[in-house]
Amino acid sequence: GKDGYRHYMEKELHEHPVVIGQTLQRLVDPATRRVVMPDLPFDLAAIPRVVLTACGSAFYAGMIGRYWIEQYARLPVDIDVASEMRYRNPPLAKDGLGLLISQSGETADTLAALRGMRAAGQHIVSVLNVEQSSMARESDAVLGTVAGPEISVASTKAFTAQLSVLACLTIALGRARGLITAQQEEGMVTALLDLPSKATEVFERHDEIRRMATIVADARDVLYLGRGAMFPVALEGALKLKEITYIHAEAYAAGEMKHGPISLIDSTVPVVATVPSGPLFEKTLSNLQEAKARGGRLLVFTDMAGAPRLREIAECVVAIPTVDEFVAPILQTIPVQILAYEVALLKGTDVDQPRNLAKSVTVE
Ligand code: F6R
């Protein structure tokens, strides 16, 4: 049941802290602060290249995985949505890693892409929530997300669980390639293990998120922005808003705004940006200043460290705990998803069963 929550989505949003913790429990040793991968039938150190695919939210989790794997493990990652990947027939590296991400393990396009990668000689690793699924049966290894059943059609907790797995895989790859020292690994694992308690603190920002929701609920179009690993967080926020509120939303890499979408901005198109402190903070801030100069209303997600500067320019600021740059996308996803839920409540839409959507897309 819904355990007293109004919708499954609300219940599942509140499960983020537990789900992140459970998922990490399988992949890290809290005593040594090391990642412990299950036995894999190939050598992680010998992987020359990664090819990654998924659909929808799982694809956005994969995009964050790409930023991590490239930055911390220095492995090239080719990524595309599965409906494109399955027909692209890209040249794949010999003994490369085919990485699939799916909550259900049954998505038709992702399964077809898996089969194509297998036929092309890739080692197949799937990040799956349903571990008894078609994709599980056809993979060399399954990395499980321990999110439990996800009933709401719009995915929420599966996303942070997928990111938790991808973060551990990144560390394992970086270590295998001699690029992450034991000391760095301890720091990264510590940051991951701190997430459940930090995620719980996000819910203390509920009133600010609800205030933001009142502005978004009145809009016909919304622009989401983010840079680096926050760009997929923006994509996830825009997708969730579209799915459950039927408000048109688009997400752009913040630096790409001036190449087109800036022409849309006026006081009727709110700009929702995810801008935690870190190396890309100043760059994103200047993009927001450009939006504000065109009359844009700025609604910003950040962390405690970034909040003072953003309060000078933004109409609404939601500041969540400041965490290590590596894990920030996991934490920043949570308020962005809550925003969509709060807007849906104001709109009175059918949150758990949005029109035209199915939980599992098993046909092409
Ligand atoms: C978004 C959503 C969909 C799924 C996509 C992939 O809220 O639910 O975009 O993420 O259909 O589904 P799985 O992960 O089952 O392959």
Side-chain angles (χ1 to χ4, degrees), residues 11 22 41 51 68 109-110 155 166 176 184 234 299 316 338 341:
K11 173 178 176 229
Q22 287 172 174
V51 56
W68 283 338
D109 284 321
T110 313
S155 184
L166 292 168
Q184 284 166 328
L299 314 179
C316 288
I338 296 173
Y341 177 71

Side-chain angles (χ1 to χ4, degrees), residues 5 20 71 79 103 186 204 262 275 279 291 302 353:
Y5 291 105
I20 295 167
Q71 185 179 338
I79 182 169
Q103 188 283 127
E186 260 183 63
E204 293 166 17
I262 197 165
V275 199
T302 185
Q353 291 287 336

Side-chain angles (χ1 to χ4, degrees), residues 53 80-91 108-110 112-114 116-117 363-364:
T53 197
D80 207 341
V81 289
S83 55
E84 288 299 312
M85 190 65 94
R86 65 181 290 191
Y87 296 116
R88 262 176 54 191
N89 189 24
D109 284 321
T110 313
L114 180 158
M117 289 178 188
V363 289
E364 190 175 349

